[in-house]
Amino acid sequence: MPERPYVLLSCGMSIDGYLDTNASKRLLLSNAADFDRVDAERAASDAILVGASTIRKDDPRLLVRSPERRADRVSRGLPASPTKVTVTSHADLDCNASFFTVGETEKLVYCASEAVPEASARLSGVATVVDAGQPCTMHHVLEDLHGRGVRRLMVEGGGTVHTQLLTADLADELQLVVAPFFVGDSAACRFVGDGDFPWNPERRATLAEVRQIDDVVMLRYALSSRFERG
């Protein structure tokens, strides 16, 4: 089996399992203490992956926020923030999005073979476009990232990316934060979509940790034999 990075899925959701509302304004599911925890996980990662829909809807910066953590990375010969990674079936990404324009770290865009020419033209100068096959597969993405030196990959959504990695049994760890409210909108995006998941009533996921962080709770699941308990 091809080598791949350690894959950590990091996600916040409402009590009823939603990542967001159907409105244009971004829904904040966490709190300051948990945002700091997530920042520490970013600082410990070699790359951060989000789906193209997340870039279009949330315009994330995906940078390590803490000056101390950035300085520590630099002192170890690393860029201040991890490599940014996204996956898309098409090339409809705005080259002016924060993903591309904020921070000096490397940006990688994995896309389906047929979209490579358009993506390369659209994102020339702001990102490296990588052919991830036709169709684009997460197996190919992870294998290529490992070849580029990525040993720990943090995945911050959205629902499509989480679903693809989980159904393909490519995740090693899930950190799932539950916010203390409901969304109640069936048109909104859920944590995962439909799929054939390896964890089911016959194969239950291993709950490794439960942690209250102010008004949210973090559930940490071990999803593979490579799970790191540190």
Side-chain angles (χ1 to χ4, degrees):
M1 186 174 181
E3 291 187 288
R4 62 173 177 81
Y6 183 89
V7 177
L8 162 65
L9 305 188
S10 176
C11 179
M13 70 177 191
S14 63
I15 292 174
D16 50 345
Y18 288 97
L19 300 179
D20 210 338
T21 66
N22 203 34
S24 58
K25 183 179 179 180
R26 183 183 178 187
L27 177 67
L28 295 180
L29 289 153
S30 197
N31 55 44
D34 188 57
F35 282 135
D36 186 65
R37 178 193 65 82
V38 170
D39 193 59
E41 292 289 354
R42 285 183 178 180
S45 300
D46 299 310
I48 304 171
L49 185 152
V50 295
S53 295
T54 298
I55 294 175
R56 287 189 289 266
K57 182 173 175 56
D58 296 339
D59 194 27
R61 294 159 51 92
L62 300 181
L63 301 177
V64 174
R65 299 181 180 184
S66 163
E68 293 78 15
R69 291 178 184 131
R70 291 198 302 269
D72 176 69
R73 285 179 58 90
V74 171
S75 72
R76 292 184 285 121
L78 301 172
S81 291
T83 297
K84 300 181 189 182
V85 183
T86 192
V87 182
T88 178
S89 298
H90 310 289
D92 54 340
L93 286 167
D94 182 359
C95 65
N96 294 311
S98 296
F99 178 94
F100 301 109
T101 61
V102 180
E104 301 300 321
T105 189
E106 184 179 16
K107 293 91 176 177
L108 300 174
V109 176
Y110 290 87
C111 63
S113 301
E114 64 182 13
V116 168
E118 182 181 350
S120 297
R122 182 188 294 265
L123 303 174
S124 175
V126 299
T128 299
V129 175
V130 184
D131 188 337
Q134 191 67 38
C136 176
T137 70
M138 285 298 180
H139 286 88
H140 191 120
V141 171
L142 295 182
E143 183 180 355
D144 186 83
L145 284 172
H146 190 277
R148 294 173 185 270
V150 174
R151 296 296 178 265
R152 185 177 181 87
L153 175 67
M154 184 176 182
V155 181
E156 296 196 31
T160 299
V161 170
H162 288 315
T163 301
Q164 290 173 339
L165 288 166
L166 289 167
T167 55
D169 203 1
L170 292 173
D172 300 295
E173 177 178 343
L174 168 62
Q175 295 182 3
L176 184 64
V177 169
V178 182
F181 56 79
F182 294 83
V183 168
D185 181 357
S186 62
C189 179
R190 286 190 177 276
F191 162 44
V192 293
D194 296 342
D196 184 12
F197 294 90
W199 304 276
N200 51 55
E202 284 70 47
R203 183 193 176 197
R204 298 161 74 101
T206 300
L207 179 61
E209 181 184 356
V210 178
R211 189 192 315 173
Q212 182 176 347
I213 306 171
D214 291 344
D215 66 344
V216 304
V217 62
M218 193 268 285
L219 307 174
R220 188 171 179 230
Y221 290 94
L223 300 182
S224 84
S225 60
R226 306 200 309 167
F227 176 71
E228 299 172 355
R229 290 194 171 274

